[in-house]
């Protein structure tokens, strides 16, 4: 699934990043296959989205997030 | 080696406390040097120990060796200089080591000795992040120091090390043939596994603040309140130093008038030079105070959230979340505002931001608005304590902002550029302000106004003084004479010459003169009006206002009717009357094309806007 499909608070592992003009930028910022990622908030109108990535918060537009493939680790349980 | 100074370059990611360390190491002994042929500025400071001196070069925060924006390009320039830097002092945010070490891993390939400074160890401690410094030193083969750039903890030990032996890192990031991002991150991960451990994970307060700062309704409300607070503070706080500066220059002119021998030199000094310098300096308080608040918002991390919540809206207009800082800075002065677009990666986003920023009402328009509003608008209360005058002033700011946003949309349609824009940005952890950084930043922005705008304003005001004081002889010979009145001066002739073209928007030749002189800076309008209406003391607003109000045209109607005043205000809101801004746009875009387009579109907009307003109200 794609990074944009993750609900807020869920945790996923990045599996791959599609080719795009911003792929390099994403990688520099730490979006690398194998890294854990957690959406923590959305800006008003749902875009951009902020993610917890390793030890910091990275924000990106839906468009950029769409190019990141992830595997969901914890399906969110409403506890 | 002794001939060239020992050169250490300070590098690191943005938001890692680099500026604090630089200020701390150099004890604020730093200068800004212009890199020849560019507008790019490098900060160079001196670190001294006894008689030994080291040149420390500060660079803009960078995420990688493949620069994405203009300020990142500037950051890596130092590595291509001759001679290259002797040592790299790399500062990393210890609470976010993995990403912070990526740029380090790229730099470690260059065979230059490095020193690693781990900053923000307090936040790392709080997050339960334990770093084994000795092990890290062994693995990397270089010296590693834990510091707290804010409190200065550990900085002295680090400073000692700058004067001792330094080593080239021997840790292999990636492999000999594999330097992809993945392989570097993989090596960093392995390195950190050996040298760090995580005890407990504690939540920072940042998430709680963000719940408000990025809330769909509260977020915008908070931003609006912050803006109102800032502008209110700028108006009230700046008025005192502005009064002192005006009085000071008034006294200086008086003194010079008494001591200097009569003649053109005296007039040149008093009406050209002193008036020109006064016109520059009087804006410094407003600009400095506004930039103080802007730096405060940036330094604490709040501005990144504003960019985050504004990005979607601004994107639709051809801008980006990163345009927020330049646009708001435009309310102080377009020059530092345009220079602050350098961190916008996408060329089109950056260009549109540059093109529309001068429509934001800058501080030079304020005296013009103040004079005109006081002439036409009664000071009646509207809602509670808000007067009609204050409301009109506010609407001038709104008018400028709306015009800037509409202009952005139009540029979005016309500028063709295929590389898509993106908004991949770190949201830094909130922290209390680092006052040293804020002062330095505030000082630099004000300085860029004084140097970039100052010299041009000064030159133009001397030229204008000449044009307003001298005129052609009436006997058709080409010789020059001291003009008996402004009407007969060169400026008066210019004013008369353009009168037919500005008559449709309600302006006469006197306003024409003021429009021409405003090319130095918009506020020169007030001074020109004082000269035209021979008000002795330039700052005597009341006297000037009364004289302007009494002025009649041939038909016996007041020259400054409501229609003319509103038309003038709209003209000043939209027209590109600032040579200094055009000069900066030229430098930043490296072509005359964009300043020319900017000048033309803003002038057309101003003329058309004034014509509409004049037609409606007359």
């Amino acid at each position: 699934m794609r990074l944009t499909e993750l609900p807020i608070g869920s945790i996923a592992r990045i599996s791959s990043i599609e080719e795009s003009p911003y792929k390099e930028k994403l990688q520099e910022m730490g979006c690398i296959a194998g890294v854990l990622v957690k959406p923590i908030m959305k800006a008003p109108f749902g875009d951009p989205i902020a993610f917890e990535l390793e030890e910091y918060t990275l924000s990106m537009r839906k468009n950029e997030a769409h190019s990141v493939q992830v595997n969901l680790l914890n399906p969110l349980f409403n506890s | 080696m002794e001939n060239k100074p020992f050169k250490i370059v300070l590098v690191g990611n943005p938001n890692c406390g680099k500026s604090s360390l630089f200020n701390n190491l150099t004890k604020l002994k730093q200068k800004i040097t212009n890199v020849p042929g560019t507008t790019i500025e490098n900060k160079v400071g001196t670190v001294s120990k006894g008689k030994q001196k080291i040149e420390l070069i500060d660079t803009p925060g960078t995420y990688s060796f493949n620069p994405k924006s203009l300020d990142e390009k500037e950051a890596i320039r130092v590595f291509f200089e001759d001679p290259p830097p002797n040592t790299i002092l790399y500062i990393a945010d210890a609470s976010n080591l993995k990403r912070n070490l990526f740029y380090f891993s790229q730099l470690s390939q260059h065979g230059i000795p490095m020193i690693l400074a781990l900053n923000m160890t307090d936040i790392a401690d709080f997050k339960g992040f334990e770093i084994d410094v000795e092990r890290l030193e062994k693995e990397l083969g270089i010296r590693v120091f834990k510091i707290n750039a804010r409190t200065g903890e550990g900085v002295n030990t680090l400073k000692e090390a700058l004067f001792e032996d330094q080593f080239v890192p021997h840790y292999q990031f990636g492999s000999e043939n594999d330097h992809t991002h993945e392989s570097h991150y993989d090596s960093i991960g392995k390195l950190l596994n050996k040298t760090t451990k995580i005890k407990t994970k504690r939540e920072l307060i940042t998430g709680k603040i963000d719940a408000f700062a990025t809330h769909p309704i509260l977020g915008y409300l908070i931003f609006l309140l912050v803006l109102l607070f800032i502008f209110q503070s700028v108006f009230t706080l700046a008025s005192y130093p502005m009064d002192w500066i005006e009085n000071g220059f008034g006294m200086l002119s008086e003194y010079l008038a008494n001591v200097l021998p009569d003649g053109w030199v005296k007039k040149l000094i008093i009406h050209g030079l002193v008036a020109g310098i006064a016109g520059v300096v009087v804006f410094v308080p407003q600009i400095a105070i506004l930039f103080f608040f802007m730096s405060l918002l940036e330094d604490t991390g709040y501005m990144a959230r504003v960019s985050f919540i504004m990005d979607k809206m601004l994107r639709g207009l051809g801008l980006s979340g990163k345009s927020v800082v330049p646009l708001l800075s435009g309310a102080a002065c377009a020059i530092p505002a345009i220079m602050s677009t350098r961190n916008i990666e996408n060329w089109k986003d950056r260009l549109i931001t540059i093109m529309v920023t001068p429509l934001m009402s800058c501080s030079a328009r304020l005296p013009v608005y103040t004079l005109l509003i006081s002439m036409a608008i009664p000071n009646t209360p509207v809602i509670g304590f808000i007067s009609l005058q204050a409301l009109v002033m506010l609407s001038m700011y709104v008018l400028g902002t709306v015009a800037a946003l509409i202009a952005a949309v139009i540029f979005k349609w016309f500028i063709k550029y295929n590389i898509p824009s993106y908004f991949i940005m770190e949201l830094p952890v909130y922290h209390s302000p680092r006052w040293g950084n804020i002062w330095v930043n505030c000082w630099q922005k004000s300085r860029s106004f004084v140097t970039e705008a100052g010299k041009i304003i000064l030159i133009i005001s001397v030229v204008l003084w000449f044009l307003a004081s001298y005129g052609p002889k009436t006997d058709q010979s080409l010789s020059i004479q001291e003009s008996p009145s402004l009407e007969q001066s060169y400026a008066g002739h210019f004013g008369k010459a353009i009168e037919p073209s500005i008559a449709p928007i309600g302006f006469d030749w006197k306003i024409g003169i003021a429009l021409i002189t405003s090319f130095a800076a918009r506020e020169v309008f007030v001074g020109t009006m004082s000269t035209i209406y021979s008000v002795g003391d330039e700052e005597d607003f009341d006297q000037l206002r009364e004289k302007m109000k009494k002025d009649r045209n041939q038909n016996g109607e007041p020259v400054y009717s409501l229609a003319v005043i509103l038309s003038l205000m709209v003209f000043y809101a939209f027209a590109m009357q600032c040579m200094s801004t055009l000069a900066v746009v030229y430098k930043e875009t490296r072509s005359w094309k964009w300043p020319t387009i900017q000048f033309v579109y803003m002038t057309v907009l101003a003329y058309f806007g004034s014509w509409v307003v004049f037609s409606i109200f007359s």
Side-chain angles (χ1 to χ4, degrees):
Chain A
M1 72 196 291
R2 292 174 188 275
L3 198 46
T4 37
E5 297 166 60
L6 293 178
I8 296 289
S10 60
I11 297 175
R13 194 180 289 281
I14 296 176
S15 56
S16 68
I17 301 173
E18 289 169 9
E19 286 302 326
S20 72
Y22 34 80
K23 180 181 178 184
E24 190 181 283
K25 177 74 181 176
L26 284 170
Q27 289 181 319
E28 282 169 14
M29 299 304 279
C31 289
I32 297 283
V35 167
L36 293 181
V37 60
K38 174 180 162 188
I40 53 169
M41 61 181 172
K42 287 181 179 177
F45 313 110
D47 191 17
I49 310 169
F51 300 92
E52 214 174 87
L53 195 78
E54 300 280 343
E55 293 297 327
Y56 84 108
T57 308
L58 179 67
S59 86
M60 65 181 87
R61 291 177 182 162
K62 264 184 172 171
N63 200 22
E64 287 100 74
H66 192 73
S67 74
V68 180
Q69 293 279 355
V70 293
N71 295 319
L72 186 61
L73 294 187
N74 71 329
L76 257 196
F77 298 107
N78 288 327
S79 52
Chain B
M1 174 190 153
E2 289 311 310
N3 299 335
K4 299 267 181 193
F6 196 77
K7 217 160 73 169
I8 296 184
V9 47
L10 178 61
V11 299
N13 288 175
N15 311 306
C16 67
K18 202 165 52 60
S19 303
S20 294
L21 179 64
F22 183 71
N23 295 341
N24 211 318
L25 279 173
T26 58
K27 302 279 173 251
L28 296 175
K29 274 189 205 112
Q30 39 185 274
K31 57 178 194 291
I32 293 157
T33 54
N34 285 310
V35 178
T38 65
T39 51
I40 285 167
E41 293 175 331
N42 259 335
K43 276 198 287 179
V44 180
T46 313
V47 189
S48 24
K49 178 191 165 196
K51 279 189 176 165
Q52 288 172 281
K53 278 189 169 41
I54 286 174
E55 200 181 279
L56 188 67
I57 303 160
D58 192 19
T59 56
T62 313
Y63 291 109
S64 91
F65 204 68
N66 311 314
K68 303 286 179 293
S69 63
L70 206 64
D71 58 355
E72 287 194 339
K73 284 195 183 102
E74 166 187 353
I76 69 156
R77 275 175 84 96
V78 287
F79 297 104
F80 301 102
E81 273 171 16
D82 186 43
N86 298 76
T87 296
I88 300 170
L89 173 55
Y90 193 95
I91 175 165
D93 172 357
S95 69
N96 177 17
L97 251 189
K98 195 166 181 181
R99 200 212 59 216
N100 269 260
L101 284 181
F102 177 72
Y103 185 33
F104 178 94
S105 76
Q106 290 184 315
L107 289 178
S108 72
Q109 316 290 315
H110 295 259
I112 302 173
M114 294 180 85
I115 296 174
L116 177 60
L118 302 174
N119 192 27
M120 307 209 196
T121 38
D122 48 342
I123 299 178
D125 284 345
F126 184 85
K127 280 173 146 181
F129 206 57
E130 240 176 53
I131 302 163
D132 184 347
V133 172
E134 275 175 32
R135 184 78 201 269
L136 199 57
E137 282 192 327
K138 238 177 247 160
E139 292 288 340
L140 291 170
I142 62 168
R143 302 193 65 184
V144 180
F145 298 88
K146 267 189 180 180
I147 60 160
N148 187 331
R150 180 191 296 254
T151 60
E153 230 177 290
V155 174
N156 274 334
T157 328
L158 171 67
K159 191 174 149 185
E160 292 291 318
L162 299 182
F163 294 91
E164 292 160 10
D165 284 342
Q166 288 136 17
F167 312 94
V168 179
H170 60 48
Y171 188 83
Q172 177 70 51
F173 291 101
S175 69
E176 242 168 81
N177 315 318
D178 184 6
H179 285 296
T180 55
H181 294 85
E182 287 90 349
S183 69
H184 271 233
Y185 264 106
D186 193 46
S187 311
I188 295 167
K190 281 179 186 146
L191 175 70
L192 291 181
N193 282 342
K194 286 184 228 169
T195 55
T196 59
K197 57 180 174 221
I198 298 166
K199 283 189 303 188
T200 47
K201 217 176 168 178
R202 267 194 289 182
E203 198 74 23
L204 291 164
I205 189 152
T206 294
K208 286 168 196 151
I209 303 177
D210 274 340
F212 295 101
T214 65
H215 186 274
I217 298 157
L218 280 178
Y220 295 116
L221 205 64
I222 291 170
F223 178 47
L224 197 67
L225 288 176
V226 167
L227 279 188
L228 285 176
F229 171 79
I230 290 177
F231 279 99
Q232 188 59 43
S233 311
V234 170
F235 284 135
T236 41
L237 290 177
S239 63
Y240 302 103
M242 285 171 89
D243 282 346
W244 303 334
I245 291 167
E246 279 169 358
N247 291 336
F249 276 100
M251 269 147 61
L252 180 65
S253 307
E254 235 167 82
Y255 171 77
L256 290 173
N258 288 330
V259 295
L260 291 174
D262 283 333
W264 68 271
V265 178
K266 175 181 179 172
K267 288 179 187 157
L268 168 68
I269 291 176
I270 295 174
H271 300 292
L273 285 175
V274 175
I277 296 170
V280 177
V281 177
V282 77
F283 288 112
V284 172
Q286 267 191 9
I287 289 173
I289 294 172
L290 214 137
F291 279 117
F292 167 79
F293 284 110
M294 294 285 294
S295 315
L296 187 70
L297 297 186
E298 280 183 76
D299 191 72
T300 51
Y302 178 67
M303 204 52 110
R305 273 69 186 184
V306 175
S307 295
F308 181 67
I309 62 169
M310 299 298 284
D311 178 67
K312 175 91 182 178
M313 272 187 255
L314 291 174
R315 196 188 321 166
L317 305 169
L319 301 162
S320 108
K322 288 193 173 179
S323 309
V324 171
V325 172
L327 287 177
L328 289 180
S329 305
C333 173
I335 292 160
I338 285 170
M339 289 162 80
S340 71
T341 59
R342 285 181 200 160
N343 74 341
I344 302 176
E345 294 98 345
N346 187 277
W347 179 79
K348 185 174 171 179
D349 288 357
R350 177 164 180 262
L351 184 64
I352 296 179
T353 311
I354 290 176
M355 294 303 275
V356 305
T357 293
L359 282 171
M360 302 295 289
S361 276
C362 67
S363 47
R365 285 167 171 113
L366 208 55
V368 182
Y369 293 160
T370 310
L371 173 67
L372 294 172
I373 287 177
S374 71
M375 282 174 66
I377 314 291
N379 200 12
T380 45
V382 186
I383 333 156
F385 56 95
I386 300 172
S387 70
L388 188 60
Q389 286 188 349
L391 211 61
V392 174
M393 182 66 95
L394 182 69
S395 44
M396 292 312 290
Y397 276 85
V398 175
L399 183 69
T401 312
V402 170
L405 298 180
I406 293 173
V409 181
I410 296 170
F411 277 113
K412 185 189 168 192
W413 287 332
F414 280 104
I415 298 175
K416 296 275 171 272
Y417 190 62
N418 293 330
I419 298 174
S421 124
Y422 57 78
F423 182 76
I424 300 169
M425 194 185 72
E426 176 176 4
L427 294 180
V429 172
Y430 286 109
H431 51 67
S432 53
R434 293 166 289 202
W435 300 108
N437 298 359
I438 292 174
W439 289 123
V440 169
N441 189 11
C442 185
W443 185 79
Q444 278 172 0
K445 295 273 169 72
S446 311
R447 182 186 156 281
S448 77
F449 161 73
V450 172
T451 54
E452 295 293 329
K455 51 191 178 206
I456 295 179
I457 295 178
L458 195 61
I459 293 167
I460 297 183
S461 67
V462 170
V463 172
L464 290 175
W465 164 78
F466 172 79
L467 292 179
S469 318
Y470 292 87
K473 270 197 176 149
T474 36
D475 57 7
Q476 301 297 317
S477 68
L478 283 168
S479 52
I480 292 167
Q481 67 164 358
E482 195 160 336
S483 178
S485 71
L486 194 59
E487 189 168 358
Q488 264 108 53
S489 70
Y490 289 113
H493 284 271
F494 275 129
K496 289 252 164 95
I498 64 166
E499 193 173 30
S501 61
I502 54 176
I505 54 175
F507 302 167
D508 66 357
W509 65 272
K510 283 173 262 179
I511 298 175
I513 297 176
L515 294 188
I516 293 167
T517 57
S518 290
F519 268 101
R522 295 171 174 97
E523 91 286 0
V524 174
F525 175 82
V526 180
T528 308
M529 283 295 156
S530 305
T531 314
I532 293 173
Y533 292 98
S534 354
V535 179
D537 182 0
E538 277 205 7
E539 301 313 323
D540 197 341
F541 251 48
D542 297 329
Q543 206 191 338
L544 174 60
R545 195 171 57 215
E546 289 316 309
K547 284 199 174 178
M548 285 172 75
K549 270 185 176 172
K550 281 190 194 128
D551 197 12
R552 294 284 182 275
N553 61 16
Q554 297 103 315
N555 309 331
E557 293 154 350
V559 172
Y560 297 95
S561 61
L562 181 66
V564 171
I565 287 176
L566 292 178
S567 163
L568 251 180
M569 281 169 57
V570 169
F571 194 88
Y572 272 81
F574 294 156
M576 171 41 94
Q577 291 164 300
C578 182
M579 296 287 263
S580 327
T581 301
L582 290 172
V584 167
V585 172
Y586 164 68
K587 281 191 191 172
E588 292 289 326
T589 60
R590 305 273 180 92
S591 98
W592 281 112
K593 181 182 169 189
W594 298 110
T596 309
I597 292 176
Q598 192 171 47
F599 176 78
V600 171
Y601 100 82
M602 287 179 70
T603 308
V604 169
L605 181 64
Y607 192 88
F608 182 72
S610 294
W611 179 77
V612 169
V613 169
F614 183 69
S615 310
I616 292 173
F617 284 90
S618 61

